[in-house]
PDB file of all heavy atoms in Angstrom:
ATOM      1  N   GLY N 212     140.888 121.135 110.636  1.00  0.00           N
ATOM      2  CA  GLY N 212     140.256 119.811 110.707  1.00  0.00           C
ATOM      3  C   GLY N 212     138.788 119.985 111.037  1.00  0.00           C
ATOM      4  O   GLY N 212     138.260 121.095 110.978  1.00  0.00           O
ATOM      5  N   PRO N 213     138.107 118.891 111.439  1.00  0.00           N
ATOM      6  CA  PRO N 213     136.687 119.018 111.783  1.00  0.00           C
ATOM      7  C   PRO N 213     136.515 119.657 113.164  1.00  0.00           C
ATOM      8  O   PRO N 213     137.474 119.706 113.947  1.00  0.00           O
ATOM      9  CB  PRO N 213     136.206 117.560 111.800  1.00  0.00           C
ATOM     10  CG  PRO N 213     137.432 116.773 112.151  1.00  0.00           C
ATOM     11  CD  PRO N 213     138.605 117.528 111.594  1.00  0.00           C
ATOM     12  N   GLY N 214     135.307 120.148 113.447  1.00  0.00           N
ATOM     13  CA  GLY N 214     134.970 120.547 114.813  1.00  0.00           C
ATOM     14  C   GLY N 214     135.083 122.036 115.108  1.00  0.00           C
ATOM     15  O   GLY N 214     135.610 122.830 114.330  1.00  0.00           O
ATOM     16  N   LEU N 215     134.579 122.372 116.293  1.00  0.00           N
ATOM     17  CA  LEU N 215     134.435 123.770 116.717  1.00  0.00           C
ATOM     18  C   LEU N 215     135.780 124.496 116.851  1.00  0.00           C
ATOM     19  O   LEU N 215     135.899 125.659 116.456  1.00  0.00           O
ATOM     20  CB  LEU N 215     133.689 123.792 118.060  1.00  0.00           C
ATOM     21  CG  LEU N 215     133.517 125.138 118.746  1.00  0.00           C
ATOM     22  CD1 LEU N 215     132.549 126.021 117.989  1.00  0.00           C
ATOM     23  CD2 LEU N 215     133.024 124.977 120.165  1.00  0.00           C
ATOM     24  N   ILE N 216     136.794 123.816 117.403  1.00  0.00           N
ATOM     25  CA  ILE N 216     138.071 124.518 117.619  1.00  0.00           C
ATOM     26  C   ILE N 216     138.647 124.969 116.279  1.00  0.00           C
ATOM     27  O   ILE N 216     139.047 126.129 116.115  1.00  0.00           O
ATOM     28  CB  ILE N 216     139.066 123.617 118.397  1.00  0.00           C
ATOM     29  CG1 ILE N 216     138.547 123.433 119.821  1.00  0.00           C
ATOM     30  CG2 ILE N 216     140.482 124.229 118.392  1.00  0.00           C
ATOM     31  CD1 ILE N 216     139.439 122.635 120.741  1.00  0.00           C
ATOM     32  N   SER N 217     138.632 124.074 115.316  1.00  0.00           N
ATOM     33  CA  SER N 217     139.174 124.427 114.008  1.00  0.00           C
ATOM     34  C   SER N 217     138.379 125.579 113.383  1.00  0.00           C
ATOM     35  O   SER N 217     138.949 126.501 112.803  1.00  0.00           O
ATOM     36  CB  SER N 217     139.142 123.198 113.090  1.00  0.00           C
ATOM     37  OG  SER N 217     139.805 123.499 111.903  1.00  0.00           O
ATOM     38  N   ARG N 218     137.060 125.528 113.548  1.00  0.00           N
ATOM     39  CA  ARG N 218     136.230 126.606 112.977  1.00  0.00           C
ATOM     40  C   ARG N 218     136.559 127.955 113.644  1.00  0.00           C
ATOM     41  O   ARG N 218     136.693 128.975 112.965  1.00  0.00           O
ATOM     42  CB  ARG N 218     134.743 126.268 113.139  1.00  0.00           C
ATOM     43  CG  ARG N 218     133.821 127.207 112.373  1.00  0.00           C
ATOM     44  CD  ARG N 218     132.397 126.734 112.373  1.00  0.00           C
ATOM     45  NE  ARG N 218     131.737 126.823 113.663  1.00  0.00           N
ATOM     46  CZ  ARG N 218     131.298 127.936 114.223  1.00  0.00           C
ATOM     47  NH1 ARG N 218     131.470 129.100 113.617  1.00  0.00           N
ATOM     48  NH2 ARG N 218     130.698 127.918 115.412  1.00  0.00           N
ATOM     49  N   LEU N 219     136.702 127.961 114.962  1.00  0.00           N
ATOM     50  CA  LEU N 219     137.040 129.225 115.636  1.00  0.00           C
ATOM     51  C   LEU N 219     138.419 129.720 115.205  1.00  0.00           C
ATOM     52  O   LEU N 219     138.628 130.924 115.036  1.00  0.00           O
ATOM     53  CB  LEU N 219     136.995 129.057 117.161  1.00  0.00           C
ATOM     54  CG  LEU N 219     135.613 128.864 117.791  1.00  0.00           C
ATOM     55  CD1 LEU N 219     135.738 128.733 119.310  1.00  0.00           C
ATOM     56  CD2 LEU N 219     134.650 130.008 117.461  1.00  0.00           C
ATOM     57  N   VAL N 220     139.346 128.768 115.011  1.00  0.00           N
ATOM     58  CA  VAL N 220     140.698 129.159 114.589  1.00  0.00           C
ATOM     59  C   VAL N 220     140.655 129.789 113.200  1.00  0.00           C
ATOM     60  O   VAL N 220     141.192 130.883 112.981  1.00  0.00           O
ATOM     61  CB  VAL N 220     141.647 127.933 114.610  1.00  0.00           C
ATOM     62  CG1 VAL N 220     142.944 128.228 113.868  1.00  0.00           C
ATOM     63  CG2 VAL N 220     141.937 127.506 116.052  1.00  0.00           C
ATOM     64  N   THR N 221     139.978 129.134 112.263  1.00  0.00           N
ATOM     65  CA  THR N 221     140.016 129.649 110.883  1.00  0.00           C
ATOM     66  C   THR N 221     139.100 130.866 110.703  1.00  0.00           C
ATOM     67  O   THR N 221     139.438 131.791 109.982  1.00  0.00           O
ATOM     68  CB  THR N 221     139.641 128.562 109.862  1.00  0.00           C
ATOM     69  OG1 THR N 221     138.465 127.911 110.308  1.00  0.00           O
ATOM     70  CG2 THR N 221     140.732 127.549 109.688  1.00  0.00           C
ATOM     71  N   GLU N 222     137.940 130.883 111.410  1.00  0.00           N
ATOM     72  CA  GLU N 222     137.001 131.995 111.180  1.00  0.00           C
ATOM     73  C   GLU N 222     137.248 133.190 112.092  1.00  0.00           C
ATOM     74  O   GLU N 222     136.896 134.306 111.750  1.00  0.00           O
ATOM     75  CB  GLU N 222     135.556 131.518 111.394  1.00  0.00           C
ATOM     76  CG  GLU N 222     135.065 130.578 110.309  1.00  0.00           C
ATOM     77  CD  GLU N 222     133.636 130.127 110.574  1.00  0.00           C
ATOM     78  OE1 GLU N 222     132.956 130.678 111.461  1.00  0.00           O
ATOM     79  OE2 GLU N 222     133.205 129.174 109.866  1.00  0.00           O
ATOM     80  N   ARG N 223     137.770 132.969 113.291  1.00  0.00           N
ATOM     81  CA  ARG N 223     137.833 134.069 114.264  1.00  0.00           C
ATOM     82  C   ARG N 223     139.253 134.444 114.662  1.00  0.00           C
ATOM     83  O   ARG N 223     139.583 135.620 114.707  1.00  0.00           O
ATOM     84  CB  ARG N 223     137.045 133.710 115.536  1.00  0.00           C
ATOM     85  CG  ARG N 223     135.631 133.274 115.272  1.00  0.00           C
ATOM     86  CD  ARG N 223     134.751 134.428 114.896  1.00  0.00           C
ATOM     87  NE  ARG N 223     133.397 133.983 114.575  1.00  0.00           N
ATOM     88  CZ  ARG N 223     132.395 134.784 114.267  1.00  0.00           C
ATOM     89  NH1 ARG N 223     132.584 136.097 114.234  1.00  0.00           N
ATOM     90  NH2 ARG N 223     131.215 134.308 113.969  1.00  0.00           N
ATOM     91  N   LEU N 224     140.059 133.427 114.969  1.00  0.00           N
ATOM     92  CA  LEU N 224     141.433 133.719 115.405  1.00  0.00           C
ATOM     93  C   LEU N 224     142.213 134.346 114.248  1.00  0.00           C
ATOM     94  O   LEU N 224     142.909 135.351 114.424  1.00  0.00           O
ATOM     95  CB  LEU N 224     142.090 132.410 115.884  1.00  0.00           C
ATOM     96  CG  LEU N 224     143.501 132.498 116.431  1.00  0.00           C
ATOM     97  CD1 LEU N 224     143.548 133.363 117.691  1.00  0.00           C
ATOM     98  CD2 LEU N 224     144.040 131.102 116.784  1.00  0.00           C
TER      99      LEU N 224
END
Side-chain angles (χ1 to χ4, degrees):
L215 175 70
I216 292 183
S217 187
R218 190 171 70 75
L219 290 181
V220 166
T221 48
E222 289 180 11
R223 307 286 177 177
L224 182 63

